[in-house]
């Protein structure tokens, strides 16, 4: 199978949470800045062309749980994928199997990084949703019938968009599903020196019935780096 090099890059609390009230601490800024610079900064460690997140993460960060503005009487769109040319250096890949995200533009901005959007749909996505994406000039690929087909997605990201290095950016279920599928090559964890003890906040990896199991996976430690503010950067190779 042809696929990009995939690394999961996340910022966590010392109790392994990617969400929670600790995110409101003003001291967290320096850890968050380091996290951004590792993957997105001018002198970033990773030379990536795209980062990928799930629907909930995308709604939290960008589309804010709005309803998509679809035209239920839209004319039938052509079969297959829709690829838009862009001169932007990065893509944001959103896994949205049923087509629910309410985009209003074909680009987004994360701090100083501007990216062209790629929607990852399955055959469950409606004609009116795909028509909306085409109207907004948002690229999309069909990867699976009822559920995400990882192999098809990897090949399309490689062949259609020439993505050679891809970052997994959450959430926890998506991160773990890629590890369980044997697709994640590396895990990069920026551990911020904070915790809140939440019993409900998502952790770095989580299972979801029907998507992944709790089959254990081993990792080889590749790099450890500590910063003056107490932030620790850990990199692991996945032992697939």
């Amino acid at each position: 199978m042809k696929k990009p090099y995939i690394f999961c890059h996340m910022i966590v609390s010392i109790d392994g949470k990617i969400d929670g009230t600790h995110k409101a601490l003003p001291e967290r800024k320096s850890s968050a800045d380091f996290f951004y610079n590792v993957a997105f900064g001018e002198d970033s460690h990773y030379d990536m062309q795209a980062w990928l997140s799930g629907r909930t993460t995308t709604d939290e960060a960008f589309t804010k749980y709005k309803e998509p503005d679809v035209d239920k009487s839209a004319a039938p769109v052509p079969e297959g994928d829709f690829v838009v040319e862009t001169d932007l250096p990065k893509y944001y890949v959103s896994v949205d199997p049923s087509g629910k995200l309410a985009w209003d533009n074909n680009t987004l901005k994360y701090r100083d990084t501007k990216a062209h959007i790629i929607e990852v749909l399955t055959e469950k996505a409606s004609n009116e949703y795909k028509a909306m994406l085409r109207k907004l000039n948002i690229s999309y690929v069909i990867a699976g019938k009822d559920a995400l087909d990882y192999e098809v997605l990897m090949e399309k990201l490689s062949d259609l968009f020439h993505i050679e290095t891809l970052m997994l950016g959450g959430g926890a279920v998506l991160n773990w599903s890629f590890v369980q599928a044997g697709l994640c090559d590396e895990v990069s964890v920026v551990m911020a020196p904070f915790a809140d003890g939440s019993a409900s906040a998502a952790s770095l990896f989580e299972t979801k019935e029907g998507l992944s199991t709790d089959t254990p996976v081993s990792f080889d430690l590749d790099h450890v780096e500590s910063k003056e503010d107490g932030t620790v950067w850990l990199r692991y190779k996945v032992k697939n």
Side-chain angles (χ1 to χ4, degrees), residues 48-115:
M48 67 168 182
Q49 292 79 49
W51 78 105
L52 178 149
S53 292
R55 183 180 62 79
T56 301
T57 299
T58 301
D59 255 338
E60 288 283 348
F62 301 113
T63 50
K64 307 301 181 185
Y65 296 97
K66 294 180 290 186
E67 290 292 322
D69 183 18
V70 299
D71 178 3
K72 294 187 181 298
S73 61
V77 303
E79 294 290 327
D81 308 317
F82 181 62
V83 179
V84 177
E85 294 294 326
T86 179
D87 57 1
L88 293 177
K90 284 185 172 48
Y91 292 100
Y92 179 77
V93 184
S94 179
V95 177
D96 184 21
S98 298
K100 295 183 178 180
L101 292 169
W103 299 108
D104 57 15
N105 199 298
N106 70 348
T107 63
L108 58 76
K109 192 168 184 183
Y110 169 50
R111 291 199 177 197
D112 295 327
T113 302
K114 191 175 181 181

Side-chain angles (χ1 to χ4, degrees), residues 1-235:
M1 176 182 60
K2 185 177 182 181
K3 79 171 193 68
Y5 181 85
I6 298 178
F7 69 100
C8 177
H9 179 56
M10 300 292 291
I11 181 170
V12 304
S13 61
I14 62 172
D15 50 352
K17 303 298 183 180
I18 59 176
D19 293 313
T21 56
H22 71 275
K23 294 178 72 174
L25 288 170
E27 298 96 326
R28 186 178 178 276
K29 181 179 184 303
S30 60
S31 299
D33 289 345
F34 179 77
F35 166 84
Y36 176 84
N37 288 331
V38 163
F40 298 90
E42 289 185 9
D43 299 317
S44 61
H45 173 78
Y46 296 102
D47 181 21
M48 67 168 182
Q49 292 79 49
W51 78 105
L52 178 149
S53 292
R55 183 180 62 79
T56 301
T57 299
T58 301
D59 255 338
E60 288 283 348
F62 301 113
T63 50
K64 307 301 181 185
Y65 296 97
K66 294 180 290 186
E67 290 292 322
D69 183 18
V70 299
D71 178 3
K72 294 187 181 298
S73 61
V77 303
E79 294 290 327
D81 308 317
F82 181 62
V83 179
V84 177
E85 294 294 326
T86 179
D87 57 1
L88 293 177
K90 284 185 172 48
Y91 292 100
Y92 179 77
V93 184
S94 179
V95 177
D96 184 21
S98 298
K100 295 183 178 180
L101 292 169
W103 299 108
D104 57 15
N105 199 298
N106 70 348
T107 63
L108 58 76
K109 192 168 184 183
Y110 169 50
R111 291 199 177 197
D112 295 327
T113 302
K114 191 175 181 181
H116 177 78
I117 297 162
I118 303 172
E119 271 273 298
V120 179
L121 307 173
T122 64
E123 293 179 20
K124 293 190 298 184
S126 67
N127 178 79
E128 55 260 34
Y129 188 78
K130 289 181 282 188
M132 182 198 79
L133 295 179
R134 285 173 174 265
K135 183 178 179 181
L136 293 170
N137 231 23
I138 294 174
S139 296
Y140 65 80
V141 295
I142 311 298
K145 184 175 181 180
D146 298 311
L148 180 65
D149 186 318
Y150 295 96
E151 183 171 344
V152 169
L153 175 58
M154 293 300 99
E155 290 178 349
K156 288 187 176 184
L157 293 181
S158 296
D159 293 339
L160 299 178
F161 301 96
H162 312 293
I163 295 170
E164 297 179 353
T165 303
L166 175 70
M167 170 186 144
L168 297 181
V173 171
L174 181 138
N175 291 343
W176 186 241
S177 69
F178 270 75
V179 172
Q180 286 275 281
L183 297 174
C184 185
D185 301 288
E186 180 178 343
V187 175
S188 167
V189 180
V190 175
M191 185 179 293
F194 313 113
D196 54 38
S198 172
S200 58
S203 60
L204 176 62
F205 298 126
E206 291 186 359
T207 62
K208 185 174 182 179
E209 188 175 355
L211 289 179
S212 58
T213 66
D214 61 354
T215 304
V217 175
S218 297
F219 303 84
D220 282 328
L221 183 63
D222 189 54
H223 176 83
V224 180
E225 183 177 329
S226 61
K227 314 303 289 185
E228 289 185 2
D229 66 349
T231 299
V232 177
W233 183 26
L234 305 168
R235 296 206 312 272

